[in-house]
């Protein structure tokens, strides 16, 4: 039996590699490993490189794992992502990060339903629930950050500006 791909984990692996490639020491250490010149001698390089779970100590790559990562990246760039990737179980704890994520979700909702529309709370909640588990937090953050406007009685919401 095949298990469903863990797209967030695969994307995390891709992000980890890109972050490592942005640091010259790590990039050189990775190159050394991949070309068969042996592991990096510097422990400050060996430690981070050991976290690449698709890369063996001898520089061999787990090709099926790399294919899964590549497939997840391709999926995330496609219009099928909304059907394949689970909704957010948590929103960042820091207020400004939370508001940024919530604002992006609200904008996506209104891009899809029409930016000039007004939505009732139930309709907005249903649309947000496709993206995040904590619907009330997303809605509140989007209003507090000025992305959404709410009527005085809370009956409807619309995209600000």
């Amino acid at each position: 039996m095949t298990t469903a791909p863990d797209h967030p984990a695969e994307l995390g692996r891709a992000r980890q590699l890109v972050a490592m490639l942005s640091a010259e020491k790590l990039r050189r250490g990775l190159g050394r490993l991949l070309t068969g010149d042996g592991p990096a001698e510097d422990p400050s390089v060996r430690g981070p490189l050991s976290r690449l779970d698709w890369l063996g100590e001898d520089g061999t790559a787990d090709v099926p794992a790399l294919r899964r990562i590549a497939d997840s990246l391709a999926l995330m760039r496609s219009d099928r992502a909304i059907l394949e990737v689970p909704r957010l179980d948590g929103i960042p704890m820091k207020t400004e990060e939370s508001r940024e994520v919530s604002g992006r979700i609200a904008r996506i909702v209104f891009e899809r339903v029409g930016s000039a529309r007004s939505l009732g709370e139930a309709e907005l909640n249903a649309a947000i629930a496709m993206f995040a588990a904590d619907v009330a937090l997303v809605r509140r953050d989007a209003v507090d950050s000025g992305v959404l406007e709410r009527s005085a009685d809370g009956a409807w919401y619309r995209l600000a500006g």
Side-chain angles (χ1 to χ4, degrees):
M1 178 166 88
T2 308
T3 59
D6 183 357
H7 297 296
E10 302 300 352
L11 292 171
R13 288 179 179 97
R15 186 173 39 239
Q16 179 184 44
L17 176 60
V18 170
M20 287 183 181
L21 289 173
S22 69
E24 186 177 343
K25 271 173 94 172
L26 294 174
R27 192 171 51 248
R28 280 196 311 250
L30 181 59
R32 181 180 169 90
L33 255 178
L34 292 173
T35 58
D37 291 337
E41 296 170 9
D42 184 347
S44 70
V45 173
R46 264 196 325 266
L49 292 180
S50 71
R51 291 189 211 112
L52 296 173
D53 58 1
W54 53 266
L55 183 63
E57 289 180 21
D58 61 354
T60 57
D62 179 348
V63 176
L66 289 174
R67 284 193 183 115
R68 284 191 306 275
I69 294 168
D71 290 346
S72 286
L73 290 172
L75 173 67
M76 289 304 296
R77 296 198 60 205
S78 77
D79 55 3
R80 292 184 354 258
I82 189 68
L83 301 173
E84 300 288 336
V85 178
R87 66 186 183 159
L88 299 172
D89 286 330
I91 301 289
M93 296 298 272
K94 291 183 179 177
T95 301
E96 63 187 48
E97 291 174 6
S98 174
R99 287 182 177 173
E100 182 180 327
V101 170
S102 297
R104 182 66 186 125
I105 290 170
R107 285 184 196 95
I108 291 170
V109 164
F110 278 90
E111 284 171 11
R112 293 181 179 179
V113 301
S115 59
R117 282 192 60 191
S118 293
L119 299 178
E121 186 173 308
E123 190 177 14
L124 179 61
N125 287 350
I128 291 172
M130 294 180 65
F131 298 96
D134 195 340
V135 171
L137 174 65
V138 172
R139 193 183 62 243
R140 235 182 354 260
D141 275 353
V143 169
D144 291 346
S145 65
V147 173
L148 292 181
E149 294 175 349
R150 179 179 54 210
S151 65
D153 63 359
W156 58 263
Y157 295 79
R158 69 175 176 209
L159 197 58

